[in-house]
Amino acid sequence: MKQTTPLRSSSLRRSVLSVPAINLRALEKSRSLDCDAVIFDLEDSVAPENKGQARENLRAFFAGQPLKGKERIIRINSLSSAFGAADLDLVKALLPDAVLLPKADGPQDVTDIGDLLADANAPEELRIWAMIETPRGVLNVGAIAEAGCMPGARLDCLVVGLNDLRKETGVQPQPGRSFLVPWLMQVILAVKAYGLDALDSVFNDFRDDEGFDVECGQGRAMGFAGKMLIHPAQIAAANRHFGPSAEEIAEAQAIISAFADPAARGLNVINANGRMIERLHLVQAEALVHKARLISARKHAR
């Protein structure tokens, strides 16, 4: 079957805050926060006896003042659970920007929910995000990402869930995540191969600013688009780490200017101030400058 590139969102995903849908105060506070996206969680953070109330909270929240400049994602319970069908009905009614599927083990999990959205005539703009948080999910992450590129697929983003992955594998939480790095890079390879985004896992101690800075820097160096967050105190640091610095923007603009010189026309490699620059660097520079423009536009829109 011929693969197609998914419809990609131009939204920023540096800081993606998870908010329990049962917490009315946190829901209201999310309107004023400087995160790029909000995950409204109906799954892990909501006790079974509160699932129905959490759905009603979201229904009322979406009926109110819209979020400005933020993607809206609803994390549902597994479709095989007692709550998944009602959660997905809510998604169809509220039409957020994306639905986040927990514990995606294989491509069928993504295609099944895509088929259900298609059967409901949900608009194509309603995308799918998938949590990679099980051993099977990591083993099958390439196939999951590939499924997101098939005709009619809606997959936009994979989100790493290390808490569940540690629980299922017995890997201990350690600074540097050395035993987890191979699995994290497996996710990165999958999304880069198929044109998707990946978000790094949550950092559990929101009071540990230094540890969070280190892990954000590691995630950025790996190639993650941003980080899933558990507390508003983490937003500013995530935005800083996963956004381009002034030096990076200046360098990118210099590369773009160098290739815009008529003397560079038709050349794949040029000499710019003693550095050999290839056209692949131009593509990277244009993407970085585009991201910087998105950030600037978002600041002015708030």
Side-chain angles (χ1 to χ4, degrees), residues 214-233:
V214 170
E215 196 163 289
C216 281
Q218 181 193 45
R220 167 75 187 277
M222 288 177 174
F224 284 100
K227 197 161 181 67
M228 186 176 174
L229 311 177
I230 61 168
H231 195 277

Side-chain angles (χ1 to χ4, degrees), residues 17-19 26 29-30 33-34 206 229-237:
L17 180 67
S18 182
V19 174
K29 188 174 182 179
S30 70
L33 297 174
D34 192 29
F206 61 85
L229 311 177
I230 61 168
H231 195 277
Q234 299 173 322
I235 293 173

Side-chain angles (χ1 to χ4, degrees), residues 37-110:
V38 178
I39 295 171
F40 301 103
D41 186 29
L42 293 169
E43 197 217 8
D44 281 347
S45 65
V46 180
E49 62 272 19
N50 292 329
K51 300 287 189 185
Q53 183 59 56
R55 285 192 290 269
E56 291 308 309
N57 289 351
L58 279 191
R59 200 180 298 275
F61 180 82
F62 272 68
Q65 179 185 357
L67 294 181
K68 292 184 179 179
K70 300 182 183 73
E71 275 187 290
R72 304 159 304 152
I73 304 96
I74 295 178
R75 179 160 75 159
I76 64 173
N77 290 272
S78 171
L79 294 179
S80 64
S81 73
F83 313 106
D87 290 350
L88 191 58
D89 285 342
L90 182 70
V91 169
K92 296 172 189 174
L94 300 184
L95 298 179
D97 297 297
V99 54
L100 176 55
L101 179 67
K103 299 176 179 62
D105 281 340
Q108 194 64 46
D109 294 326
V110 174

